[in-house]
Amino acid sequence: MPDILEKVMDAVDVETYLVCKDEEEAERLSVELMEKLGFQDISIVFIQHQGPGARVRVRGYIYKPGDKYSWLFDQRK
Amino acid sequence: MKKKVLLAPLDPVHDIGLKMIKRGLEQNGHDTLLMPPDYSQEEIIKAIVDNDVDVVLISRTLGYGVAEILGKFIDLAEAAGIRDKVKIGIGGMAIRPELAAELGFDAGFGPGTTVEEAVAFVEGREYVPSESGIKQNKKDITQGYDYSFRNKRIEKLLDTIVDGILDYTSNKTSTAILRAELRRQILDSTDESEKQKLRQEYARYCDDVVKSFYEAGKYREKTRPLTKDEVKALRGYVDDVNFRMNPIKLQHTDKNPAVFIQYGTGCPFMDIAHIKSCEAWGADGVVHFDPSWGARTEGFLEGYITHEEDGSIITYENLKSIKESLAPYTLWQVRAHRGLNTPETVLLAGKIGADLTKINIAYGSLSGGTDPSRLTVDAVAAIKYAAEFGMPFDVVTNEELSGVPAFKAFAGMLIVSKLGLRLGGKPILQPLFCYSPEVMINGQMVDNYVDFNAAKIYCLRNIVNAPIWCGAPIGFLTQTEDRVQSSMMTALHASLASSLGVDAISIASSDEAFSKGPITAASRIDTLRATQASFRFFGHADITPTENAKKWAAEMEEGIEKVLEAVAKKGNFVDALYQGLLGSREDGAYPGRAGRNTVISKS
């Protein structure tokens, strides 16, 4: 994981508009997008297809509750 | 001292900020001269010289070439011999104080600068932000309410029912009440060997999973103790964050309610991180959510413990670390409205210094899974602790979400509120602002989300002069997974609540409808921002419900009275709960089973 992601409190949301034919394709593309960006723990938060494409919000969790958060230890550096 | 001020937009079109400052300066007795936009640096310098001004305020909105243009302006001012005689400030979207200082201006005002700041600069005094923009004190939600009943018939029925509850519970106790008494002794004792003995006795009254913690140090699955390093790091994190806190104020007018967020990520440290973020973005209060399994488990663990699922475990240490992280102006509520540990929850909250708690027998036993008899006995003890520690408690009506109609849920809320008053407590009414099954089926929200929510507030105000805190969260079941729609629904409900003059609201994050993972800090900020914007939009303007609101309020009040008559006639509140008078199986309410047959007779 790059250091910069350790500064994320919990998750990174990627919001965009995907050109695709239906919601199923949008879901597949959303996951592919996040994987390409290097996220591992991926959730589709919102997806809605209308006409030309889909409005999507996809989340990559960096930390979940109970993990060891790097930012907790970084403050005084 | 009166100043002569030249205001000049060094910009093709933008001069709104300068117009606002001009008005502020004139209100403070200064002479002003505002130049039109699109004048050159040379023309502005000439105007300064010709008018013999004391102060110049330049604005610049466009960022393109800003350093070069402003640098040239200062050079020209020096060449004209006015730099040492005239004070020059620069402001606008493209300006940052560092840039202004670097270029040789006397002051730089970036985005968000107030008129008062500019006036202070002109007058040569230090800017002190107005108090209305700063959080200072905790709001007392119960202030100004005398709990007098306008509906005397309802008051009389409530008194009869409360007499019955106190009579029912007078010779009963439970393991939860015994544990709370032992917990108090553990906390008060300074002798470690005595504490150990008390812990052993405490464990006797607990379920096996808690007993094995005290006897063998075993943790429940999906939980772990936080390490010493993590605890130490948390303290450093909180100290550092507190140092740079400069919280936003959400309220635009005095009538806007206090805004609470709800936390319970599972990890007390992630909770604290979210809480600090929400404090910074304007939350007035925070509500502790415990895990659902905690409500079905007899006894509490000890220590700093994290949890991989929703809801943060209640232990003295977890709560204490959260309390110690809070800003002094942040209201803190610990919920004790359901489950098998309600007296101890309120005791811990009170001992640690919580401001508020949450207790409702009807909700906790009809939709919260706790046996009605057990929760009635425990709740009386819990309310006594709340009264002892001076903690007001809200009486939530989330049984509406199971399908119980509002009038039945309100009857239960009023009974527990009257019980609270009798025991010396300060109850807060908590009607839901939600798209409940009742209205889905009966159609009261086909046209709008306003009328039925307004009816609830009108109805309660008709009955009793008591504080109202809309929950929980407002807009429940109107939000979708789209963060814009979700935030907007929250914000509009917030302004409706404000328009109706309520005292507090609990808001969700924009992740409210998202159930596949933990809520994020960013999604919490979404709804705080939206609520602030909505408060700003409406100001003192009101939202006007249709005539349906008054009509439904009257029907609701009538329904409440009928329910209370039936409960009073039954002669036993607990039997009324079992038999569905305050929410039936047909409605969707089922008397809870956790703790059934565990009430202990004192005799």
Side-chain angles (χ1 to χ4, degrees):
Chain A
M1 185 194 295
D3 283 348
I4 182 63
L5 289 182
E6 294 183 354
K7 288 288 194 184
V8 173
M9 185 168 279
D10 37 34
V12 174
D13 281 3
V14 173
E15 295 196 46
T16 192
Y17 186 72
L18 295 170
V19 178
C20 54
K21 65 179 190 304
D22 56 25
E23 198 160 303
E24 197 180 328
E25 187 186 2
E27 280 183 24
R28 184 174 53 75
L29 292 173
S30 297
V31 173
E32 273 180 34
L33 170 70
M34 294 302 276
E35 284 173 349
K36 189 169 182 179
L37 291 171
F39 293 102
Q40 291 169 353
D41 189 347
I42 300 163
S43 288
I44 295 173
V45 180
F46 172 67
I47 197 159
Q48 185 171 344
H49 183 273
Q50 297 287 138
R55 178 81 172 87
V56 298
R57 182 183 182 200
V58 204
R59 179 168 294 170
Y61 282 101
I62 308 300
Y63 299 113
K64 281 187 166 171
D67 288 346
K68 206 158 185 175
Y69 324 116
S70 294
W71 45 258
L72 190 64
F73 297 87
D74 278 355
Q75 291 295 308
R76 298 199 181 261
K77 282 181 188 172
Chain B
M1 190 181 155
K2 190 174 177 178
K3 302 277 184 191
K4 193 171 184 184
V5 186
L6 180 89
L7 303 106
L10 192 50
D11 209 276
V13 287
H14 303 282
D15 66 347
I16 296 162
L18 286 181
K19 284 177 177 162
M20 290 168 66
I21 292 168
K22 178 180 188 295
R23 184 164 162 254
L25 288 168
E26 287 169 356
Q27 283 172 345
N28 283 276
H30 303 290
D31 289 335
T32 63
L33 185 67
L34 175 65
M35 293 184 69
D38 214 16
Y39 272 57
S40 68
Q41 288 105 317
E42 289 82 357
E43 287 170 309
I44 294 171
I45 296 289
K46 184 172 183 305
I48 295 169
V49 174
D50 291 350
N51 292 285
D52 193 24
V53 300
D54 304 304
V55 183
V56 177
L57 293 175
I58 303 290
S59 76
R60 176 73 190 181
T61 298
L62 298 181
Y64 179 72
V66 66
E68 193 181 328
I69 291 165
L70 297 179
K72 184 183 169 190
F73 181 83
I74 289 292
D75 290 345
L76 287 171
E78 280 177 3
I82 57 170
R83 183 65 198 91
D84 295 335
K85 291 191 284 184
V86 180
K87 196 153 80 163
I88 307 177
I90 173 83
M93 291 298 286
I95 305 304
R96 296 294 178 276
E98 313 83 63
L99 175 71
E102 194 182 315
L103 294 172
F105 286 86
D106 294 309
F109 303 104
T113 299
T114 62
V115 171
E116 291 73 26
E117 267 179 280
V119 172
F121 168 71
V122 166
E123 295 177 350
R125 58 181 169 80
E126 189 185 351
Y127 170 63
V128 181
S130 69
E131 289 188 355
S132 62
I134 301 176
K135 281 178 174 285
Q136 288 184 317
N137 300 314
K138 286 180 182 178
K139 178 174 179 176
D140 178 359
I141 295 170
T142 62
Q143 194 175 24
Y145 292 98
D146 62 4
Y147 296 96
S148 59
F149 276 78
R150 296 187 181 98
N151 186 324
K152 298 294 179 191
R153 167 82 181 137
I154 283 182
E155 182 178 27
K156 197 174 170 202
L157 288 166
L158 291 172
D159 276 328
T160 304
I161 296 163
V162 168
D163 286 343
I165 294 172
L166 293 175
D167 184 50
Y168 178 84
T169 56
S170 64
N171 62 345
K172 294 180 178 67
T173 189
S174 73
T175 50
I177 295 172
L178 297 173
R179 283 195 305 272
E181 288 165 3
L182 285 165
R183 179 64 63 191
R184 169 172 251 167
Q185 291 174 48
I186 293 168
L187 293 174
D188 289 347
S189 173
T190 51
D191 179 347
E192 195 48 45
S193 65
E194 186 190 8
K195 278 176 184 269
Q196 277 307 109
K197 278 184 196 162
L198 289 165
R199 283 191 185 101
Q200 285 169 9
E201 196 181 345
Y202 180 95
R204 283 177 43 220
Y205 299 122
C206 295
D207 281 346
D208 287 345
V209 67
V210 179
K211 210 176 277 181
S212 66
F213 169 82
Y214 285 101
E215 290 173 355
K218 283 188 185 169
Y219 284 84
R220 187 186 185 275
E221 60 174 355
K222 295 188 175 178
T223 65
R224 72 167 174 91
L226 288 152
T227 65
K228 281 182 183 171
D229 283 350
E230 285 173 305
V231 174
K232 191 178 162 199
L234 175 78
R235 291 190 184 122
Y237 175 81
V238 171
D239 285 348
D240 284 356
V241 168
N242 280 341
F243 183 71
R244 52 178 198 262
M245 284 289 270
N246 180 24
I248 288 167
K249 187 170 181 181
L250 295 182
Q251 290 76 14
H252 181 61
T253 73
D254 289 344
K255 72 180 257 188
N256 295 143
V259 178
F260 285 77
I261 62 103
Q262 308 172 120
Y263 68 85
T265 62
C267 174
F269 291 6
M270 183 61 93
D271 286 339
I272 288 168
H274 279 204
I275 288 169
K276 299 309 293 178
S277 303
C278 290
E279 281 180 341
W281 290 89
D284 303 295
V286 298
V287 180
H288 185 96
F289 266 48
D290 54 323
S292 55
W293 57 261
R296 298 190 302 273
T297 306
E298 299 268 13
F300 282 146
L301 305 173
E302 287 186 5
Y304 298 98
I305 302 172
T306 187
H307 176 226
E308 290 173 18
E309 293 171 341
D310 277 357
S312 295
I313 296 170
I314 292 179
T315 67
Y316 177 82
E317 291 76 10
N318 278 0
L319 292 182
K320 184 93 173 152
S321 66
I322 289 165
K323 167 66 181 169
E324 286 172 353
S325 77
L326 297 173
Y329 44 77
T330 299
L331 289 159
W332 183 41
Q333 183 187 50
V334 180
R335 308 187 314 169
H337 61 315
R338 57 164 170 60
L340 302 176
N341 301 293
T342 53
E344 191 178 349
T345 303
V346 179
L347 173 87
L348 286 174
K351 277 274 189 192
I352 295 167
D355 303 288
L356 300 147
T357 184
K358 182 188 283 282
I359 302 167
N360 187 358
I361 305 167
Y363 164 65
S365 60
L366 293 178
S367 299
T370 315
D371 173 64
S373 174
R374 169 66 183 271
L375 191 56
T376 302
V377 171
D378 285 359
V380 168
I383 292 172
K384 286 179 180 171
Y385 280 127
E388 178 191 334
F389 289 102
M391 278 188 296
F393 61 96
D394 82 60
V395 190
V396 64
T397 46
N398 280 38
E399 60 266 47
E400 268 199 71
L401 301 178
S402 302
V404 176
F407 69 91
K408 287 188 187 177
F410 284 10
M413 172 169 66
L414 290 166
I415 292 169
V416 177
S417 298
K418 196 72 165 91
L419 175 65
L421 290 169
R422 189 77 72 81
L423 294 171
K426 284 185 176 178
I428 301 167
L429 306 176
Q430 189 161 101
L432 293 195
F433 264 28
C434 66
Y435 187 37
S436 64
E438 177 191 12
V439 297
M440 288 180 195
I441 292 164
N442 298 322
Q444 292 97 329
M445 286 189 172
V446 168
D447 179 68
N448 64 66
Y449 290 135
V450 173
D451 291 342
F452 199 71
N453 287 321
K456 290 177 177 178
I457 307 302
Y458 293 160
C459 167
L460 293 173
R461 291 262 190 258
N462 283 342
I463 294 171
V464 60
N465 180 33
I468 296 180
W469 174 354
C470 297
I474 54 167
F476 196 68
L477 296 179
T478 67
Q479 292 110 338
T480 69
E481 290 163 334
D482 170 22
R483 76 187 184 96
V484 177
Q485 189 275 353
S486 182
S487 303
M488 185 156 183
M489 277 298 165
T490 292
L492 290 172
H493 280 86
S495 282
L496 175 61
S498 179
S499 175
L500 292 164
V502 309
D503 306 281
I505 55 173
S506 288
I507 66 165
S509 73
S510 63
D511 277 346
E512 178 60 29
F514 169 64
S515 57
K516 293 175 202 155
I519 289 168
T520 63
S523 72
R524 295 185 181 283
I525 292 165
D526 284 346
T527 48
L528 289 166
R529 292 280 296 123
T531 299
Q532 184 193 30
S534 192
F535 286 165
R536 176 67 188 86
F537 180 82
F538 284 101
H540 282 99
D542 284 333
I543 296 169
T544 310
T546 76
E547 289 173 3
N548 280 333
K550 289 271 163 65
K551 189 182 85 175
W552 291 337
E555 288 172 8
M556 231 177 257
E557 191 170 346
E558 199 178 314
I560 292 167
E561 206 168 313
K562 280 184 183 162
V563 171
L564 294 176
E565 277 168 9
V567 175
K569 194 174 168 195
K570 172 65 60 187
N572 184 317
F573 171 67
V574 172
D575 285 348
L577 287 168
Y578 281 124
Q579 290 169 23
L581 298 184
L582 291 152
S584 65
R585 286 172 169 80
E586 292 72 32
D587 293 326
Y590 296 88
R593 292 185 299 175
R596 188 158 291 183
N597 301 321
T598 59
V599 169
I600 301 163
S601 172
K602 282 183 185 171
S603 57

